[in-house]
Amino acid sequence: MAGCSVLPGIGPKEQAPAASPTTSTPAASPGPGTPEGITSFLADYVKRNNAANKAMSAKLLAGYEGGSSLAIDKAAYLSQLKLGDRDRDHEPFGYTQPTPTAATVKGGGWFVTTAYWKGRSETSKEPTYLLFARDGESWLQMYAPDVFSDQAVDELPKIKTDASGAAVEVAQADAAGLMMSPAAFARSYAAHLVGKGTAASKSRFAADRLTTGAASTRIRMNPYAKLTESARPAAAYPSYAVRTADGGALAFTTVERTRRYDVRQGPQRNYVQQKNNGFLPGKYYTFMKFTELIQVAAHIPAKSAGPGQVKVIGSYSGITSGSGH
């Protein structure tokens, strides 16, 4: 799926990864406590992913994905089908350099690891966070945010583990020792993403690619179209957080954002456009509206006397509906 296009359009093109599926058989326990275990698990995950991508099958997709990952990637399949991409050449992908030991939370309900996306002729320079949650005897991929290119990999937050080697989960409403709770972060960041919230609230976030890009698009598009936008935590999908070694937390949450562009009418005929997207395939001379889900990974710092800022370090997103005239 395409993201935004420059005017005539609404921002730089962003290529959403094709959905990541499985076979109908649920994924077995990965044994993420060992390098061999996580490597074997990711190899099976990639095999399932490529099988479903080739077939563009939502049924296969649901066998290995859940939460907002499933919603985003199902929408990507639908968009591709509407664009007539069923007969396109399938380009398989893989992951390389997984973290030697995945961080599994106490109780074993979910774990998070990182790996580098690898295509046919290129490998990403930044890792992808992969969060899997247990569903009965299977594991579902719930989050897959890509680390931003301006984020130094060696400065990514280290996950804290206890004496048994397990990571410590942070409840969504738990602000103990943190600048803010994961739930408070989700609410405040959603407002910040669309330029809302108080100056004090905005100052609690470090600059990141999502918010700076959104602000730039608002300014660039204003002469051509009136923008109405809203964002909120996507409560239908689970969020996760884990303690980090510096006393903070690594949080994964999903934001739902809706944007509507009403074209300014005048002697010059303006339009907005969404390229290569089955939901929004053409030019819109009156209005264009779309809703997207945005996964974010963020580091919430420990509470201290200093100013401190929450930093969003990665994202994965896709348009789930759109309309226009």
Side-chain angles (χ1 to χ4, degrees):
M1 291 175 60
C4 303
S5 60
V6 293
L7 196 100
I10 54 174
K13 180 180 178 182
E14 299 173 357
Q15 190 67 35
S20 328
T22 176
T23 67
S24 57
T25 304
S29 174
T34 65
E36 296 80 9
I38 193 61
T39 298
S40 175
F41 175 76
L42 286 182
D44 180 66
Y45 163 76
V46 165
K47 180 179 179 181
R48 295 166 179 272
N49 192 316
N50 282 313
N53 285 346
K54 185 174 183 179
M56 280 194 278
S57 167
K59 182 178 180 181
L60 296 181
L61 182 69
Y64 86 99
E65 279 195 2
S68 56
S69 284
L70 178 60
I72 291 170
D73 291 345
K74 282 176 64 176
Y77 283 171
L78 182 58
S79 175
Q80 290 164 359
L81 290 171
K82 286 187 175 182
L83 287 172
D85 284 352
R86 178 177 286 279
D87 298 326
R88 80 194 193 292
D89 290 336
H90 169 62
E91 295 188 10
F93 82 101
Y95 282 113
T96 186
Q97 302 178 53
T99 48
T101 303
T104 304
V105 299
K106 200 165 188 175
W110 57 277
F111 72 88
V112 61
T113 188
T114 62
Y116 289 79
W117 180 90
K118 181 177 175 59
R120 183 172 292 172
S121 60
E122 61 178 326
T123 299
S124 175
K125 296 179 180 179
E126 294 77 35
T128 296
Y129 278 106
L130 294 167
L131 190 155
F132 293 85
R134 186 180 287 279
D135 180 25
E137 294 302 313
S138 64
W139 291 92
L140 300 180
Q141 187 262 89
M142 307 294 280
Y143 279 86
D146 300 312
V147 171
F148 294 145
S149 58
D150 58 356
Q151 168 65 49
V153 175
D154 60 357
E155 294 179 2
L156 290 173
K158 303 294 190 295
I159 295 175
K160 180 181 179 180
T161 56
D162 62 17
S164 69
V168 180
E169 185 171 11
V170 180
Q172 290 299 300
D174 185 4
L178 299 174
M179 182 179 168
M180 64 177 71
S181 70
F185 155 69
R187 293 191 298 269
S188 297
Y189 188 74
H192 182 47
L193 187 60
V194 293
K196 299 178 180 179
T198 64
S201 175
K202 293 176 182 178
S203 70
R204 303 175 79 185
F205 295 98
D208 69 77
R209 193 178 71 183
L210 288 177
T211 52
T212 55
S216 176
T217 297
R218 284 192 287 271
I219 294 171
R220 185 174 65 253
M221 286 298 298
N222 186 56
Y224 310 100
K226 176 185 176 182
L227 170 62
T228 304
E229 58 183 332
S230 63
R232 62 183 179 83
Y237 310 107
S239 297
Y240 303 86
V242 65
R243 289 282 174 182
T244 52
D246 59 6
L250 177 61
F252 297 87
T253 195
T254 304
V255 173
E256 180 180 282
R257 176 171 63 177
T258 297
R259 288 187 276 184
R260 174 175 171 134
Y261 289 89
D262 286 283
V263 178
R264 299 190 189 281
Q265 304 300 320
Q268 177 180 330
R269 196 180 189 198
N270 297 321
Y271 62 87
V272 288
Q273 180 180 14
Q274 196 82 13
K275 292 182 179 179
N276 302 325
N277 188 302
F279 296 107
L280 296 159
K283 301 176 182 179
Y284 299 89
Y285 294 91
T286 304
F287 79 91
M288 181 177 72
K289 179 181 179 180
F290 60 92
T291 297
E292 59 192 326
L293 293 176
I294 306 170
Q295 295 183 348
V296 296
H299 177 230
I300 303 173
K303 190 175 184 179
S304 67
Q309 289 183 310
V310 179
K311 185 176 184 181
V312 172
I313 56 180
S315 72
Y316 176 71
S317 63
I319 294 175
T320 54
S321 65
S323 61
H325 183 271

